Amino acid sequence: MDIHEYQAKEILANFGVDVPPGGLAYSPEQAAYRARELGGDKWIVKAQVHAGGRGKAGGVKLCDSENDMYEACDAMFGRKLVTHQTGPEGKGIYRVYVESAVQIDREIYLGFVLDRSSQRVMIVASSEGGMEIEEISEQRPDSIVRSIVEPAVGLQEFQAREIAFKLGLEAGLVQHMVRTLQGCYAAFSELDATMVEINPLVITGDNRVLALDAKMSFDDNALFRHPQIAELRDKSQEDPRESRAADRGLSYVGLDGNIGCIVNGAGLAMATMDTIKLAGGEPANFLDIGGGASPERVAKAFRLVLSDQNVQAILVNIFAGINRCDWVAEGVVLALKELDIDIPVVVRLAGTNVEEGQKILAQSGLPIIRATTLMEAAERAVGAWQNDLTQATRMMALK
Ligand code: GDP
Ligand code: MN
């Protein structure tokens, strides 16, 4: 789960990382008020969306009057911000964060990530802040400092000092940098984060180490241990199809194709998507309905897959171990009756109670296309969709 910059800053501040004073606003009026509250004569206003690259996309503005602030926010609210990380559909701006502007002397990149090969938290830092890490690793790979944290002892002071020296910080700033690094590491490990990124971490004109930006992601499977983090979820920033699925306990990822998939088990769902491609089609989604899926759950899965307008055929692929084919078949029948589905539906069942399941499908009187193997199922789904298309074209030609 991702959170907003202002939320990440509040968390990190509680762990000893210094951030500029700021305030959240839900309207241009409120943003202008926040500026007045903060005082001073220069502020930065930042669109709160779950994506980086806001600066280049017009989501970060420097303002020098309350009126300026109002106008900048008026242009942001309700818009979709499109950055290189959001995809072409962009992310809605419903909150902005107003901060006192600071004078920047140096920008540093700082990231904490999980390094799969060492199975440890890795600190990635660079003296070339401000740029995205992808750019840095392309243009200035030599500037990148990497350091792996030993989990049994955590981030040691000498290790943090070493990072500070490698970044070329002057002696007077090292202690402040050590506190920043240790604060980030503590937040990362105590809150089960998967990523902490501060870009830029800056050295200010008056010699302070400040986090000007902050991004944090958390391990979904550990959120139950941190209700105060789970609460920070902002559904307006998620793919609506995916958040609807998560609310129903289904694991769903929307894709660009047109063959909807309803499968039990993540591995089988991946194999099903591959087979659809092999048969010449494109999957519309990844969907794992899990084990022990009740008929109601299967019907929910149908509703979810059909909420995607691009879906032109559905492939149900169930290998029932814990699941029962007769339950799944009942679910398919229930969904088809309830939802008035007018696209081809292909069902492949295998495993527990497969005969009963097949019987339910056969006796339903519904136009369900059945298949025995996965390859056969994928070919039929792709074939049925293409056939449907040619029929539709013929109809158009007749008109
Ligand atoms: P991102 O583009 O989504 O990563 O958003 P950032 O929060 O990193 O902001 C983009 C850029 O705006 C930063 O790299 C800074 O150069 C600049 N910026 C942000 N806050 C301040 C500030 O308080 N003062 C000044 N001068 N620049 C700022
Ligand atoms: Mn940034």
Side-chain angles (χ1 to χ4, degrees):
M1 185 188 83
D2 296 334
I3 60 172
H4 287 295
E5 172 196 1
Y6 75 94
Q7 296 166 330
K9 279 179 167 164
E10 190 180 330
I11 292 171
L12 292 173
N14 285 332
F15 280 89
V17 176
D18 285 342
V19 299
L24 187 69
Y26 290 91
S27 68
E29 291 82 1
Q30 211 180 1
Y33 181 76
R34 287 290 183 220
R36 191 178 331 151
E37 228 177 19
L38 287 166
D41 56 8
K42 278 202 171 49
W43 306 273
I44 292 272
V45 58
K46 303 165 95 176
Q48 297 300 292
V49 296
H50 286 184
R54 296 165 304 168
K56 286 187 191 118
V60 177
K61 291 249 159 70
L62 179 70
C63 304
D64 52 18
S65 70
E66 279 177 43
N67 197 38
D68 207 15
M69 175 63 70
Y70 184 96
E71 309 253 298
C73 293
D74 201 36
M76 282 188 198
F77 272 103
R79 292 271 174 79
K80 296 262 182 193
L81 187 70
V82 179
T83 82
H84 65 95
Q85 285 187 6
T86 59
E89 66 284 357
K91 298 229 162 160
I93 305 176
Y94 307 107
R95 311 174 193 189
V96 301
Y97 192 52
V98 179
E99 275 184 343
S100 304
V102 297
Q103 201 219 318
I104 302 173
D105 259 14
R106 268 192 69 185
E107 293 187 307
I108 291 166
Y109 173 91
L110 181 60
F112 291 67
V113 288
L114 283 169
D115 176 43
R116 283 166 200 269
S117 57
S118 64
Q119 302 181 22
R120 299 279 188 271
V121 175
M122 188 198 264
I123 301 173
V124 182
S126 163
S127 47
E128 304 291 314
M131 286 195 267
E132 304 293 326
I133 187 66
E134 292 82 3
E135 277 176 86
I136 302 174
S137 64
E138 235 172 59
Q139 295 170 20
R140 289 288 317 277
D142 48 302
S143 75
I144 299 177
V145 177
R146 292 187 180 80
S147 185
I148 285 169
V149 183
E150 184 53 47
V153 293
L155 178 61
Q156 296 291 293
E157 238 186 274
F158 79 87
Q159 190 179 359
R161 265 201 305 275
E162 192 176 62
I163 296 169
F165 285 128
K166 283 190 180 159
L167 291 171
L169 291 194
E170 56 179 87
L173 287 167
V174 170
Q175 203 41 44
H176 201 163
M177 187 64 183
V178 168
R179 174 151 56 87
T180 305
L181 288 165
Q182 287 192 315
C184 290
Y185 179 75
F188 189 108
S189 59
E190 282 174 36
L191 299 174
D192 293 305
T194 53
M195 191 268 294
V196 173
E197 187 187 63
I198 301 181
N199 186 25
L201 178 73
V202 302
I203 310 299
T204 61
D206 55 353
N207 262 337
R208 288 180 300 152
V209 181
L210 274 190
L212 279 207
D213 190 10
K215 289 190 173 55
M216 285 185 87
S217 300
F218 298 89
D219 183 347
D220 290 343
N221 294 313
L223 281 177
F224 74 97
R225 301 207 286 202
H226 311 288
Q228 78 285 16
I229 301 291
E231 211 166 74
L232 302 179
R233 183 172 168 198
D234 179 359
K235 287 190 194 171
S236 78
Q237 301 296 308
E238 297 174 3
D239 181 330
R241 298 177 297 180
E242 287 172 23
S243 44
R244 212 176 307 130
D247 290 345
R248 285 163 181 70
L250 301 164
S251 161
Y252 177 97
V253 181
L255 301 166
D256 299 329
N258 44 29
I259 310 240
C261 306
I262 297 176
V263 188
N264 71 311
L268 191 60
M270 298 294 279
T272 305
M273 292 177 354
D274 283 347
T275 315
I276 289 172
K277 288 203 99 151
L278 196 63
E282 290 288 337
N285 65 278
F286 165 97
L287 173 59
D288 171 11
I289 61 168
S294 64
E296 291 73 25
R297 206 171 153 86
V298 175
K300 267 186 202 158
F302 263 94
R303 231 169 273 136
L304 183 67
V305 169
L306 285 166
S307 66
D308 177 351
Q309 301 294 324
N310 293 329
V311 169
Q312 289 166 334
I314 292 185
L315 169 52
V316 182
N317 182 25
I318 303 293
F319 189 91
I322 307 167
N323 251 320
R324 288 171 35 183
C325 288
D326 51 334
W327 271 28
V328 173
E330 272 177 39
V332 172
V333 171
L334 184 76
L336 263 65
K337 284 190 174 152
E338 231 175 47
L339 297 173
D340 192 21
I341 296 172
D342 57 357
I343 55 173
V345 175
V346 179
V347 181
R348 182 245 177 174
L349 299 173
T352 311
N353 294 357
V354 63
E355 289 84 8
E356 288 91 325
Q358 296 292 11
K359 206 191 273 172
I360 292 168
L361 294 182
Q363 288 175 351
S364 69
L366 293 164
I368 298 166
I369 305 167
R370 282 178 285 152
T372 318
T373 66
L374 174 51
M375 194 62 221
E376 200 175 83
E379 277 166 356
R380 287 193 181 159
V382 175
W385 156 62
Q386 283 166 344
N387 209 10
D388 235 38
L389 274 191
T390 43
Q391 263 178 18
T393 331
R394 250 184 265 128
M395 298 279 278
M396 296 276 277
L398 284 176
K399 269 185 197 162

